[in-house]
Amino acid sequence: MKPFAFERARNVDHALSLAAAAPGARFLAGGTNLLDLMKLEIEQPDTLIDVGRLPLADISETAGGGLRIGALATNTLVASDPRVRSRYPVLARAILSGSCVQLRNKASMGGNLMQRTRCAYFMDPAMPCNKRLPGSGCSAMGGLSQAIALFGASEFCVAVSASDMSVALAVLDAEVETVRADGSVRRRPVETLHRLPGDAPQVDTDLAPDELILAVELPPPPSGGQVWRKVRARASYVGALASIAVAGDRVALGAVAARPWRARATEAALAGGASPREAAEAELVSASGADGRKSLVRRLATDAIQESRKGGRS
Amino acid sequence: MRTEIRVNGVDHAVDVDTRTSLLDFLREQLDLKGSKKGCDHGQCGACTVLVNGVRINACLSLAVMHDGDEVTTIEGLASGEALHPLQQAFLTEDAFQCGYCTPGQICSAVGLMAEIAAGHPSDATADLNAKVILTDAEIRERMSGNICRCSAYPQILAAVRRAAGAAA
């Protein structure tokens, strides 16, 4: 691991001023992804700003009947919250299907959103990867990895987001609230927090270096069933081959793009009276990649949409 | 960087290199070699310790992040000669072969018991809004962050089940 300066942020303003003064700095919350990548020297920040002690872990009701989840609420805290479990079960299920308890105990809401791809070639410093080393090429195209993008990929990168949680947040129309050193507060849909790779796959989001996530806000849950499904290579503690979140008439797919992928064509087809299978197909007509993966997503989406129509909240 | 940290009931005020993981700090500076370094990337769970009563992987945390924290390692579980119920359960059920993963397994199971007491659900919980019942499927899911290459999983499951039963 490369040497770095370590700053303990005393409050949000302190954290922001530290970030503004050190362009090569990174905010550190749980550290479960960032420290791992620093050990591999994939991430080499010259300064870590520890925001882990800031008072941003509360989960509170909003005036509009939704829920505001502080950026530092741990994944465990969020998935265990009775309000999340009863009103947003798709979110609790998505979180609980990710990683293992030790990591969820430490991983934060904000950190989960900021985690980087687990593409095997991004994680291997010996291999070309445009996301890790721009211009070096993409080893995943034609490589051995199964988890490559079906949607929104570019000729430079086919990596997918590793966050299960974000898929549920996208289907719930959640928004991310951030603040910058100049005091400006901004809200973005979780759905579009992450950039598609285009010709700059090394840039995951459009957050500025001095922009700190404060909270994620959930609007009231939509009516109808909520369903989470994740397909993976073993029963626990491994990333998704594909996942899906359904909430009412909304559908989001996971592990198929660089961001949680709202299946708008599926949603439109469902609104037009299509069957679950036809609706799944409506999204997949624009998918790239191997037939096997498309088939997996088709069956997964068909099953989950059917399940959601039973009105269950699982 | 100056860091004050309480480990197994003993206060330490130390200067540590910012790069030092909590695991390396425990093993190399405090000579507490119970917590093991398996993968050093949060994939095996051999380094599991309790921080303020919550289980985490010590390899994916920096010592400087734990200023003011209270850490419990495998060395801190027993009361004198009296083993922690989970230590005793692992012996009774013969829940290890080589033993390398065992300190992490036991610390992880201690954390699991607290999480059950707090009512935390898991991926194996059928009804998110009902009281959690600690079935074998629940134990397996909740221990999935701890790998055992000797594959003593049936005995580890039995040990956790035994300790949980004794506590209930």
Side-chain angles (χ1 to χ4, degrees):
Chain A
M1 196 184 287
K2 303 275 187 188
F4 54 86
F6 191 87
E7 302 279 0
R8 293 179 179 130
R10 294 188 295 272
N11 51 52
V12 170
D13 286 345
H14 184 221
L16 296 174
S17 64
L18 287 167
R26 293 290 303 273
F27 294 118
L28 175 71
T32 54
N33 184 226
L34 180 55
L35 295 176
D36 190 25
L37 294 174
M38 286 171 66
K39 288 184 182 195
L40 296 166
E41 299 189 352
I42 293 169
E43 293 273 8
Q44 301 182 12
D46 53 33
T47 304
L48 287 182
I49 302 167
D50 184 3
V51 297
R53 307 292 175 127
L54 300 183
L56 296 173
D58 284 351
I59 304 176
S60 57
E61 301 278 352
T62 65
L67 217 51
R68 180 182 170 87
I69 303 173
L72 290 174
T74 63
N75 287 184
T76 293
L77 191 68
V78 176
S80 301
D81 188 281
R83 295 161 295 188
V84 174
R85 287 154 73 171
S86 63
R87 284 151 58 187
Y88 306 97
V90 68
L91 176 59
R93 288 286 180 201
I95 291 172
L96 292 172
S97 75
S99 193
C100 67
V101 185
Q102 287 98 315
L103 295 183
R104 292 198 300 271
N105 282 346
K106 199 132 183 299
S108 68
M109 200 73 185
N112 185 309
L113 291 173
M114 295 303 290
Q115 70 179 300
R116 308 208 66 190
T117 184
R118 299 297 199 286
C119 177
Y121 300 102
F122 173 76
M123 297 293 288
D124 182 353
M127 299 295 287
C129 168
N130 286 325
K131 188 181 269 297
R132 178 167 31 76
L133 187 63
S136 62
C138 175
S139 305
M141 291 177 197
L144 296 171
S145 176
Q146 287 184 292
I148 60 173
L150 294 180
F151 303 103
S154 75
E155 62 183 296
F156 300 102
C157 184
V158 293
V160 300
S161 163
S163 171
D164 295 320
M165 182 186 83
S166 70
V167 184
L169 291 177
V171 91
L172 292 167
D173 277 340
E175 291 190 326
V176 184
E177 185 179 289
T178 63
V179 63
R180 294 189 62 181
D182 63 7
S184 59
V185 174
R186 191 173 157 189
R187 283 181 173 232
R188 298 173 178 79
V190 169
E191 182 189 352
T192 53
L193 175 68
H194 293 86
R195 296 175 66 261
L196 293 177
D199 60 2
Q202 71 276 18
V203 186
D204 287 358
T205 71
D206 66 346
L207 296 184
D210 66 343
E211 195 166 4
L212 179 68
I213 297 176
L214 292 175
V216 169
E217 218 167 282
L218 298 169
S223 59
Q226 292 184 23
V227 170
W228 169 256
R229 292 280 183 273
K230 173 175 172 177
V231 180
R232 43 189 160 175
R234 59 178 188 243
S236 183
Y237 200 16
V238 70
L241 295 170
S243 67
I244 184 167
V246 184
D249 53 9
R250 303 182 210 147
V251 180
L253 299 168
V256 296
R259 58 168 56 147
W261 192 259
R262 270 294 283 276
R264 303 280 181 189
T266 294
E267 293 175 8
L270 288 172
S275 71
R277 188 185 167 87
E278 290 164 345
E281 194 56 43
E283 194 72 34
L284 284 163
V285 293
S286 63
S288 55
D291 288 343
R293 250 170 88 62
K294 291 181 199 172
S295 170
L296 171 65
V297 172
R298 182 181 301 113
R299 286 176 288 134
L300 182 65
T302 304
D303 182 55
I305 294 166
Q306 281 170 347
E307 178 76 22
S308 74
R309 290 185 165 185
K310 296 175 191 163
R313 294 204 156 185
S314 65
Chain B
M1 182 176 210
R2 191 73 173 169
T3 301
E4 296 183 11
I5 185 166
R6 190 175 175 88
V7 179
N8 298 334
V10 179
D11 289 320
H12 300 271
V14 291
D15 278 308
V16 288
D17 187 308
T18 57
R19 292 169 292 181
T20 311
S21 70
L22 178 60
L23 176 62
D24 284 343
F25 171 73
L26 294 169
R27 287 180 55 84
E28 307 301 330
Q29 298 199 28
L30 299 189
D31 206 29
L32 294 169
K33 301 288 174 73
S35 306
K36 296 297 188 283
K37 185 181 283 193
C39 69
D40 210 27
H41 287 280
Q43 298 172 5
C44 76
C47 66
T48 304
V49 298
L50 299 151
V51 174
N52 304 324
V54 175
R55 56 174 159 160
I56 69 165
N57 288 331
C59 76
L60 284 187
S61 205
L62 299 172
V64 292
M65 293 165 70
H66 293 284
D67 189 43
D69 281 347
E70 181 154 0
V71 178
T72 303
T73 69
I74 189 71
E75 291 92 340
L77 288 180
S79 304
E81 293 299 306
L83 294 180
H84 186 283
L86 269 159
Q87 292 175 307
Q88 186 58 55
F90 269 65
L91 282 173
T92 304
E93 298 291 348
D94 199 18
F96 43 82
Q97 289 182 49
C98 82
Y100 194 81
C101 73
T102 310
Q105 298 276 3
I106 291 176
C107 285
S108 192
V110 172
L112 179 157
M113 305 276 274
E115 288 149 9
I116 290 296
H120 293 178
S122 85
D123 194 43
T125 307
D127 182 350
L128 284 179
N129 297 301
K131 187 175 186 300
V132 175
I133 300 160
L134 197 55
T135 60
D136 285 0
E138 283 277 7
I139 296 172
R140 284 196 182 94
E141 165 60 25
R142 289 164 192 267
M143 293 296 290
S144 73
N146 292 84
I147 309 299
C148 172
R149 290 210 68 179
C150 306
S151 206
Y153 297 113
Q155 293 82 3
I156 293 169
L157 173 65
V160 178
R161 191 197 296 128
R162 171 181 288 271

